[in-house]
Amino acid sequence: MKRVLAAVALPAVLLVTWWFASAGSQDFYQPPLETILRVFPDTWTPARLRGDVLPSLIRLFAGYFLAVGLGIALGVAVGAGRTLRRLAEPPLEFLRAIPPPVLVPVLILVSGFSDRTKILVIVLGAVWPVLLNTVEGVRAADEVLADTCRTYRVRGWLRLRAFVLPSASPQIVVGARQALSISIIMMVIGELLGTTNGLGYTVIEFQRGFQIPQMWSGVFVLGLLGVALSALFGLAERRVLSWYHAARAAERAGR
């Protein structure tokens, strides 16, 4: 209960502050929170949720899981081999320095205004935190356990499954959490150009049509989506890293 109260206390205070600070506002572009909440049910009907939110979620999950899979695979390969790491570091640093939104026009030229382009935009933005954290996690693996694997000739897939991935998993999860936030941002950016549905498209259409309360309600939907996905990620993290959290709790209790 204390954890729940701590989680909702600050958002509740901010909403109440916004409610009273915006009450009676005559600014066309900054309507009262009451107006935004009043148009919310009529704006985000089940039909709009199916037509705009569902396609965005499909693109988001496709791009995110592709980015996580690609980041882990490349990160393990680069982190485990010193020669490959030396060869890959310069091009990786070069590519990481390019802001993913800059590549959107290039991707449109190559693959057009398709869902594949929007998914690639998400992948290009979200792959880096997973890749870099995986590399660091693999490099930071316990040397004693690595020597034990070499002594007992634990190699190949068994070594990867039993030693490398568990050792790097806390770092990988950190990168995956960062990638989730980036994926939502890149999803919206990808939907601003050449699309006919999606949350980003809907918000920009409301803005172009001067439907400002509806536009703000779309921003609310994006925020709620981020909160829901973060909560789901937290549940998955606790399940995947249950052994890690148990070990940390035991370590703290021993102190």
Side-chain angles (χ1 to χ4, degrees), residues 70-194:
L70 182 62
I72 292 174
L74 291 177
V76 169
V78 173
R82 295 180 181 178
T83 302
L84 181 58
R85 185 162 62 245
R86 286 196 296 268
L87 292 173
E89 189 172 354
L92 288 178
E93 290 296 328
F94 173 79
L95 292 172
R96 187 178 64 154
I98 301 175
V102 175
L103 299 176
V104 173
V106 179
L107 293 175
I108 291 174
L109 287 175
V110 173
S111 58
F113 296 104
S114 63
D115 282 346
R116 181 174 59 185
T117 301
K118 301 172 184 63
I119 293 172
L120 283 175
V121 169
I122 296 172
V123 172
L124 289 175
V127 70
W128 297 107
V130 181
L131 170 59
L132 298 175
N133 277 280
T134 302
V135 170
E136 292 304 314
V138 173
R139 291 180 62 185
D142 192 326
E143 287 295 331
V144 175
L145 291 177
D147 290 339
T148 303
C149 288
R150 282 191 290 269
T151 301
Y152 287 96
R153 298 181 180 180
V154 179
R155 302 189 182 97
W157 168 247
L158 179 59
R159 184 178 188 274
L160 178 67
R161 181 177 62 83
F163 168 59
V164 176
L165 288 179
S167 297
S169 57
Q171 285 286 99
I172 294 173
V173 169
V174 170
R177 179 177 285 277
Q178 295 171 351
L180 182 60
S181 301
I182 295 174
S183 295
I184 296 174
I185 296 171
M186 299 309 299
M187 176 196 74
V188 175
I189 292 174
E191 291 176 348
L192 294 180
L193 298 173

Side-chain angles (χ1 to χ4, degrees), residues 171-240:
Q171 285 286 99
I172 294 173
V173 169
V174 170
R177 179 177 285 277
Q178 295 171 351
L180 182 60
S181 301
I182 295 174
S183 295
I184 296 174
I185 296 171
M186 299 309 299
M187 176 196 74
V188 175
I189 292 174
E191 291 176 348
L192 294 180
L193 298 173
T195 187
T196 56
N197 58 24
L199 278 168
Y201 166 81
T202 303
V203 170
I204 202 66
E205 283 299 302
F206 284 146
Q207 184 264 332
R208 289 170 179 169
F210 295 98
Q211 297 174 280
I212 303 303
Q214 288 80 359
M215 180 195 74
W216 281 105
S217 72
V219 175
F220 254 101
V221 172
L222 285 168
L224 293 173
L225 176 63
V227 170
L229 291 177
S230 179
L232 289 174
F233 187 93
L235 293 174
E237 177 187 1
R238 283 193 291 273
R239 184 176 181 84
V240 171

